[in-house]
Amino acid sequence: MAAAAVVMMLVTGCQGDAEPSASGTSNSPSPSVGSATAEAPASASSSPEPSPASSLGPAANLPVPVKPALADENSKEGLEAFTRYWLELFSYGYETNDWTRFDEITDPGCRTCVNLSGEVKNHYSENGWISGGALSLNSQDSKFVTNTSGSINSFVDVAQEELRYFSQEGDELKHTDPTPSSVGVTIALWEFDHWVMLDFGSPEGT
């Protein structure tokens, strides 16, 4: 479970020329909207209120992060927007254990990603839950030059909020302090019309 903190995950490291695996990146269909009747008109007040995870229970009704249009642009700015969105989905996975959108844009060969999401899934499988853990991008630096495998490396400065692990009874099992800054490397690939994250970890040789 200790691997679930980003500061710990950076030990796995990144390789400079990550080879993409055969990843499925199909888009999920948008949910349909039901028609409102005259007796019960649809309104914002009828939507369930989002409830973040706490000692009282797991998160409920959290909105799924929305991908900005810029994140699907093959440019330096587009890569940064994609990285921010990817980290938002990572944060969403911590509190909801919903990795559907995250998996769509993450190569299955990303060992750090698989290890971390696997630890989270194991905790939820025991009817526990997690609060906090939101990841944010402080800065990103990339020459935006493709390496031999066609992917692009970036140095990223990432922060993470504190993490609290709760048992099914609501007892706190583990707590990690917030990480204000941790430097790592992302390796992303432009694939047809969108970005895919290949790897995320510490700079090679550190």
Side-chain angles (χ1 to χ4, degrees), residues 41-66:
S43 64
S45 60
S46 63
S47 302
E49 287 292 328
S51 175
S54 70
S55 59
L56 301 178
N61 308 313
L62 295 186
V64 180
V66 177

Side-chain angles (χ1 to χ4, degrees), residues 87-166:
L87 290 172
E88 289 176 2
L89 289 177
F90 218 144
S91 306
Y92 182 74
Y94 271 109
E95 280 210 286
T96 65
N97 196 34
D98 180 356
W99 300 93
T100 304
R101 301 280 178 90
F102 180 85
D103 289 341
E104 289 174 353
I105 58 173
T106 304
D107 189 86
C110 177
R111 293 169 296 173
T112 300
C113 312
V114 171
N115 290 341
L116 281 173
S117 61
E119 291 290 341
V120 173
K121 291 172 184 176
N122 288 339
H123 185 69
Y124 277 87
S125 70
E126 297 174 353
N127 298 317
W129 66 89
I130 298 172
S131 71
L135 294 152
S136 58
L137 182 65
N138 294 327
S139 65
Q140 181 166 354
D141 183 26
S142 174
K143 294 181 180 179
F144 203 71
V145 176
T146 57
N147 55 36
T148 56
S149 63
S151 55
I152 294 178
N153 295 14
S154 302
F155 285 98
V156 292
D157 186 341
V158 177
Q160 184 176 31
E161 294 179 359
E162 67 177 2
L163 278 162
R164 295 181 182 273
Y165 296 78
F166 295 96

